[in-house]
Amino acid sequence: MVKHWKKVIAILAMVASVSATETRVATMGGDVDLLINDEQNVTLYPSTVLNFGKMATLEFGTLPSWNMGTYPAGLLITNNNKMAFGILGNRPIYMTNHPTNPLRVNAYSFVLGMGMGNLNLGVQVNMGMRNLSQTPAKDTTYSYNAMFLGIMPGISYTNDNMGIDASLNFAMPHWKDEGYTAPTDTLKFAGIPTIGMNFRFFNGSRTQKTIAAMHINFFKDAYEQNGTTFSNGSTWDIDAKIGKYMHPMRWVNIIGGLNLNVENVSINDSTGSIAINSGFLLGGETLVSSKLGFRTGITRNIFTYNKNKNGSTSNSTMGFADAPLNVAIGAYLNVGSNVRIDANIAHDLLFNGPYFLTGTPSQLASTVSAIVKF
């Protein structure tokens, strides 16, 4: 269940993206904090919405199972760096904290930004709902209602070459299941809203910046079944990183950094776990012609520590992580001066091979994004 919740937290953060190109970030190591010039910064820092101009985006899903019902689309409008408004629709959220049956909710996100000199303010509101009711086999009826609501206020400050971005995140997934898991059962979400904080500091010139960032999330995972509450405990998740962004030439961008993640799960006074993981990422992009460019990203977990406690006994492990080197390769095409198409050729390419050769899809294989600036 803890692993499911970590996926939910990542989705809750990404759902707020307005006019962002998910494919570009995925093919350069998957880290928004270091790609300081990408529109997907709005996912974590809504006040950065004023840093980008008017644009529209469309995400084309993942091969081989493209689904028209899950194509997110976004629109961003700014007015002379004083006001900005954005909307993103059809963003899928999966309620994976359900004990047996995750349900997708297509959410909508709205962001509003206001500029006051060196200070920018922003707020995002994310919402979605879905009602499912039908009669499956054996003439049993069920209903499954799910709703998601989140708000993320943010603030940014820049002065010469130094800047700070920060935001708070409050997100509440909620669902109620009547007869879906079993004809006589009623289940519903009984946790608390996710509470999070995002912070980033950067310093440097236009061609290179040093970046430090931290993200903290707290959540309590629980559900109620026929009046009885089942808890999977509370979790603190802390992610810290330091890295560099370099822009040595007009057509070249390079990022690199180290990250540390600490997760503390407490089931009760005598049961819980602590997991510490650290790793690195490298990413880069360059044009090979006036229109065509390529990207690559490399990530790997280096060190891991795990401790589990159950009653009076506990055990721990520590050492170098037994993890593969993850490699992503992407391409992008500039169509005229206002349109860019991004493609993820293959993720984990060295180990799984590209989908069009092996027929075996890798994670995030062959995603495609389009962005239009106007």
Side-chain angles (χ1 to χ4, degrees), residues 108-142:
Y108 293 84
S109 302
F110 306 88
V111 63
L112 179 66
M114 181 173 63
M116 298 182 293
N118 292 338
L119 187 69
N120 290 342
L121 302 177
V123 63
Q124 292 182 118
V125 177
N126 313 302
M127 60 186 68
M129 62 179 58
R130 185 179 181 185
N131 298 316
L132 181 64
S133 179
Q134 65 186 67
T135 303
K138 298 181 181 179
D139 295 326
T140 57
T141 56
Y142 67 80

Side-chain angles (χ1 to χ4, degrees), residues 18-19 49 52-56 74-78 84-87 374:
V18 176
S19 294
V49 68
F52 310 102
K54 301 176 182 178
M55 63 185 68
L75 177 67
L76 172 63
I77 299 175
T78 60
F85 173 76
I87 181 172
F374 52 90

Side-chain angles (χ1 to χ4, degrees), residues 175-208:
W175 50 263
K176 185 176 181 180
D177 171 350
E178 295 180 297
Y180 186 70
T181 303
T184 59
D185 281 358
T186 297
L187 289 80
K188 64 180 180 179
F189 176 74
I192 66 171
T194 298
I195 303 172
M197 182 198 75
N198 306 298
F199 177 84
R200 176 175 64 184
F201 169 82
F202 57 89
N203 186 50
S205 64
R206 185 184 64 85
T207 58
Q208 61 174 343

